[in-house]
Amino acid sequence: MPRPGAGRAPRPAEAAASRGPPGGAAAQERPGPGPGPGPPQPGPVGHRVGRRRRAAMAEQEGPEGPRRPSGGRKMSLQRCETCSEEEAKYRCPRCMKYSCSLLCVKKHKLALSCNGVRDKTAFVSVNEFTDLNLLSDYRFLEDVGRTADAAARHPTMHSPTTKKLLCCMRNKARKCNIDLRTLPVGFTKRRENSTTFNCMENKFYWHLKLVFPHCRAEYTLKGVPDDKTLADILKPYIDPVESDPVVCQRLKIYTASPQSDVQILMKIENRKQNSIRYNELDASRSLLDNLKGKVIIEYPTLFVVLKTLKNDMVVLGQDASEPAENSDSESSSLSSMEEGEIRDSS
């Protein structure tokens, strides 16, 4: 009796299974990607390679975790210039001083009055000039152009009232024999200046800045009348009795010194950078009398120094290498003042 299905034709799937994959035994040995969910399993050789790699990584890590490659970190050859004990980790972009910690960074900023911002206008010699310096200069000029364009678009730049007030104030200062000059809108001193002129009292109320170089302190005064003496202006700062306790503590070098050692200087404008000179002012005279015959850019800045302490401020006429320019008469022309030969009113 014939078996069931013996006489029927084989199905296509059964025929394909009986024939095997195309290409014969060689095709069976080549591993293909396959439709499975994961990658093909490695053979015995792959297992040996994987074991060797894991053993090498475990030996490199050690019992305390991964080891740092010997060439992964560049060791610094500099010591901290503040404490001189630890290895330097940071370098200030402005003064290029090395520091090891945040505490030393703050100490060096306080000691050198450094703000930590890179000086984009610092001098670089031709031999040290690189592509990075060229790119920095290019970006700096772009920033200057943007600032000038923003200042030109400022509404107060084209305000008739502002121009009229500035012109009136310059004319009043000229009548007092003071060459007052203002900067364009956008400059810091132009923005800070709060000097006004009271037409009813016929008096200037100056924006004044006091600089104490020995203590690295600066104070800004607003609305200082021009008939006030310099001694009265400095009393709240260097007088041991009338000064504020907090200010007195900060300026203790000045308060502990006699008043005869205090010297008030003002920088002479329109001089070369390598020929900076200062005028000595009389503390017993009024602010207006001391400013006569001087060039003022926006507002006066007074430097309070001590004669007993050494400083790099050269008073006009006291330098042996130059002639005494203030020996001439007080009736000097405005052109000579523009050249920087400002006579001392005292």
Side-chain angles (χ1 to χ4, degrees):
M1 182 177 179
R3 290 176 297 177
R8 66 178 177 85
R11 296 177 181 177
E14 296 176 356
S18 63
R19 287 196 302 268
Q28 294 179 4
E29 294 179 359
R30 288 200 305 266
Q41 297 297 327
V45 178
H47 280 295
R48 287 197 298 271
V49 175
R51 285 197 298 269
R52 291 174 184 174
R53 186 179 295 120
R54 287 194 295 269
M57 293 176 61
E59 182 181 357
Q60 184 179 5
E61 290 181 2
E64 298 179 357
R67 299 177 183 174
R68 183 184 296 273
S70 58
R73 180 177 180 270
K74 185 178 179 181
M75 298 297 293
S76 175
L77 301 179
Q78 298 289 340
R79 286 284 179 181
C80 177
E81 299 185 32
T82 304
C83 65
S84 303
E85 296 178 358
E86 299 293 335
E87 177 187 345
K89 298 179 182 178
Y90 314 103
R91 193 176 188 184
C92 179
R94 187 171 187 87
C95 60
M96 309 305 288
K97 296 291 185 181
Y98 288 96
S99 303
C100 66
S101 61
L102 179 60
L103 181 61
C104 290
V105 170
K106 292 182 177 180
K107 285 184 179 179
H108 112 267
K109 286 185 177 181
L110 184 62
L112 302 178
S113 297
C114 177
N115 57 4
V117 180
R118 183 176 66 88
D119 186 8
K120 298 181 181 179
T121 60
F123 174 76
V124 180
S125 61
V126 179
N127 299 331
E128 300 176 355
F129 199 84
T130 61
D131 294 340
L132 292 178
N133 300 114
L134 179 62
L135 183 61
S136 176
D137 292 347
Y138 179 76
R139 290 176 176 173
F140 175 73
L141 293 177
E142 283 187 331
D143 293 341
V144 171
R146 281 193 293 268
T147 305
D149 183 67
R153 297 171 183 270
H154 200 277
T156 58
M157 183 69 180
H158 309 284
S159 174
T161 306
T162 304
K163 294 181 179 180
K164 184 177 179 180
L165 290 176
L166 292 177
C167 183
C168 177
M169 196 159 55
R170 286 195 296 264
N171 292 335
K172 296 294 183 180
R174 191 178 297 111
K175 292 181 181 180
C176 298
N177 195 21
I178 300 175
D179 186 8
L180 178 62
R181 304 181 184 182
T182 56
L183 298 172
V185 176
F187 281 77
T188 303
K189 295 191 71 173
R190 174 89 283 273
R191 186 170 59 252
E192 294 175 348
N193 192 9
S194 60
T195 302
T196 57
F197 183 81
N198 193 323
C199 297
M200 300 294 295
E201 301 177 2
N202 197 23
K203 183 190 301 184
F204 272 98
Y205 287 88
W206 290 96
H207 181 104
L208 190 63
K209 178 178 287 188
L210 301 178
V211 181
F212 299 87
H214 302 305
C215 296
R216 295 183 176 88
E218 294 184 2
Y219 297 95
T220 301
L221 306 179
K222 296 182 179 181
V224 181
D226 59 4
D227 57 353
K228 194 173 184 178
T229 62
L230 298 184
D232 294 337
I233 294 175
L234 294 178
K235 269 186 180 181
Y237 299 93
I238 62 175
D239 190 272
V241 179
E242 299 185 13
S243 61
D244 183 81
V246 178
V247 178
C248 180
Q249 179 64 24
R250 187 176 184 184
L251 304 177
K252 56 184 178 181
I253 300 179
Y254 293 89
T255 55
S257 302
Q259 297 297 322
S260 57
D261 291 343
V262 178
Q263 191 177 23
I264 306 174
L265 306 177
M266 188 174 71
K267 181 182 176 181
I268 301 176
E269 305 292 347
N270 302 324
R271 289 185 68 96
K272 296 180 180 180
Q273 188 66 24
N274 59 352
S275 179
I276 298 178
R277 296 294 181 270
Y278 295 83
N279 275 323
E280 184 176 3
L281 306 182
D282 189 356
S284 61
R285 302 179 66 179
S286 65
L287 180 61
L288 179 62
D289 293 338
N290 280 285
L291 296 182
K292 286 183 178 179
K294 310 291 192 304
V295 177
I296 307 297
I297 298 181
E298 289 294 343
Y299 56 82
T301 301
L302 306 183
F303 295 86
V304 185
V305 299
L306 297 176
K307 299 178 182 178
T308 55
L309 298 180
K310 183 180 179 181
N311 57 77
D312 55 352
M313 297 181 180
V314 181
V315 180
L316 185 67
Q318 296 184 5
D319 189 7
S321 62
E322 67 175 6
E325 298 178 7
N326 56 350
S327 59
D328 297 339
S329 62
E330 293 293 333
S331 59
S332 58
S333 63
L334 184 61
S335 61
S336 65
M337 289 192 295
E338 293 178 352
E339 295 175 356
E341 300 177 358
I342 313 302
R343 271 51 175 179
D344 190 357
S345 59
S346 58

